[in-house]
Amino acid sequence: MSLLVSTRYTAWPIEHSRRVNIIELVTEGLIVKGLNERIYSRFIALKNLKTADTNAMYRIYSRFYQNTTHATFLDDLQNKTGAIVARTRSTKRIIGFSTLTVFDCDIDGKKIRGIFSGDTIVEPEFWGSRCLHVAFYRQILLARLRHPFTPLYWFLISKGYKTYLLLTRNFYDYYPDRNQPDSKLGDIVRAFSKQQYPNAFDPERMLLDFGEGAACLDENVAQITPEIRAQEPDIAYFEDCNPSWRQGTELPCAGEISFSALTKYCYHLSLKVIRLKLKQRAIAKTQSVPDALKGDAAGPEI
């Protein structure tokens, strides 16, 4: 269980047996998709978000969503606890964010706690970075440790399949799950949805419908084609659950944040980070070898 209470581990040979911080390793050490740009992320409480920060966040948001205004964005943000904000290390420019709030809910007289992820967006040139993932993991880890005996769930609503895939690829028990369509987590999702969005939740369709003119994904973002449906069963299942996603309806989802799930997630994340760093070092080493030596290394020409 030491993996749960500490973010440090021995990462040889990446750091020559030096103890490193897994958060820093991911959020500060990545060069994304060939860009020579390091990025990092931090959680910022709502009261500490500056006007310049929220303006930059909205500029990113408005690139990908239709039927939205700055005022609507700020109104929604006021209901959040804060946001995970990703920046470039050199210029401090905001390149992505994920809003968060923590709330309690009562189900059959039993108290449970939810961490609600709102808008989560990263600029396209930084897709592939896991900086928001790791900063989010740190937040759910802290929430789990602060209330170890209270059931904890990640609650999210998904306009498009990319958000839904964050759930399916990072959680072990979640809803909706194509492999367990009648999961007990369905009751958790209903309770969360009724509490957070009483006027928008449609219990028959298990969707949030904000009416005509609701914010929706830009037509050029995260489109679902027959080819994608055939290749990705999870994406096909998302569209089956939310067939009207193009009109802005949102699919409410939940994932259980148990200690066992956190342990598994941290273990797999650590392996991914190590593999990525080794790959980056191998690429950097290859690029630093003169062309003349590359030919010798490959053997003499015949």
Side-chain angles (χ1 to χ4, degrees):
M1 298 299 290
S2 60
L3 198 59
L4 282 173
V5 297
S6 173
T7 59
R8 295 185 178 274
Y9 72 109
T10 301
W12 186 89
I14 293 177
E15 296 291 341
H16 306 289
S17 297
R18 181 173 66 85
R19 292 171 66 82
V20 297
N21 188 302
I22 184 68
I23 304 298
E24 295 174 355
L25 188 62
V26 176
T27 62
E28 299 182 15
L30 291 185
I31 299 176
V32 184
K33 287 199 170 184
L35 295 176
N36 189 21
E37 187 75 81
R38 296 182 184 276
I39 58 177
Y40 69 99
S41 60
R42 295 286 186 273
F43 175 79
I44 305 176
L46 180 64
K47 63 180 181 180
N48 295 327
L49 280 171
K50 300 177 181 178
T51 300
D53 294 335
T54 58
N55 288 343
M57 291 162 63
Y58 178 71
R59 281 195 294 271
I60 298 174
Y61 181 84
S62 61
R63 289 178 58 188
F64 299 98
Y65 290 98
Q66 300 175 343
N67 304 329
T68 185
T69 65
H70 195 184
T72 301
F73 176 79
L74 292 178
D75 286 343
D76 182 71
L77 185 61
Q78 291 303 312
N79 297 320
K80 302 299 188 293
T81 306
I84 297 171
V85 178
R87 303 176 188 267
T88 60
R89 177 150 294 281
S90 58
T91 64
K92 310 301 181 187
R93 178 172 67 90
I94 293 178
I95 54 89
F97 67 91
S98 180
T99 60
L100 291 177
T101 190
V102 179
F103 63 94
D104 293 327
C105 186
D106 185 89
I107 297 182
D108 298 328
K110 184 178 181 180
K111 177 184 175 181
I112 63 175
R113 175 157 291 193
I115 297 181
F116 175 37
S117 286
D119 301 311
T120 300
I121 306 171
V122 177
E123 290 185 349
E125 56 265 39
F126 293 93
W127 287 354
S129 162
R130 300 186 67 85
C131 66
L132 290 180
H133 299 62
V134 179
F136 172 71
Y137 174 78
R138 177 159 52 183
Q139 292 302 310
I140 63 175
L141 177 60
L142 290 173
R144 178 71 283 174
L145 293 175
R146 286 168 181 160
H147 303 276
F149 304 111
T150 302
L152 182 65
Y153 300 88
W154 180 35
F155 180 55
L156 67 155
I157 58 178
S158 180
K159 289 185 178 73
Y161 73 82
K162 289 182 179 293
T163 304
Y164 176 66
L165 291 182
L166 290 176
L167 182 74
T168 66
R169 293 178 178 176
N170 292 288
F171 281 76
Y172 297 90
D173 296 310
Y174 59 88
Y175 179 90
D177 180 356
R178 62 186 175 87
N179 297 312
Q180 300 183 67
D182 297 322
S183 169
K184 63 179 181 179
L185 290 179
D187 293 335
I188 304 294
V189 171
R190 288 186 184 88
F192 282 173
S193 299
K194 289 178 181 178
Q195 177 174 312
Q196 297 296 310
Y197 297 100
N199 297 323
F201 180 54
D202 183 341
E204 293 186 2
R205 294 189 296 162
M206 286 296 288
L207 292 176
L208 298 175
D209 190 342
F210 296 95
E212 187 176 352
C216 59
L217 284 171
D218 185 87
E219 61 182 8
N220 297 316
V221 176
Q223 290 300 303
I224 300 177
T225 64
E227 292 76 17
I228 290 178
R229 284 184 58 93
Q231 295 171 5
E232 295 287 348
D234 285 339
I235 295 177
Y237 188 66
F238 164 80
E239 189 168 47
D240 291 342
C241 293
N242 187 10
S244 52
W245 64 271
R246 291 178 179 83
Q247 285 73 53
T249 57
E250 303 210 37
L251 180 67
C253 313
E256 184 177 6
I257 305 174
S258 62
F259 280 111
S260 60
L262 286 173
T263 303
K264 292 176 183 177
Y265 180 76
C266 189
Y267 172 74
H268 289 298
L269 179 61
S270 300
L271 291 180
K272 289 179 181 179
V273 171
I274 291 173
R275 285 196 293 265
L276 180 58
K277 292 294 289 186
L278 289 174
K279 182 178 180 180
Q280 288 179 342
R281 288 204 168 191
I283 293 174
K285 186 176 181 180
T286 301
Q287 292 175 342
S288 65
V289 176
D291 292 339
L293 294 181
K294 289 180 182 178
D296 292 341
E301 293 184 359
I302 298 177

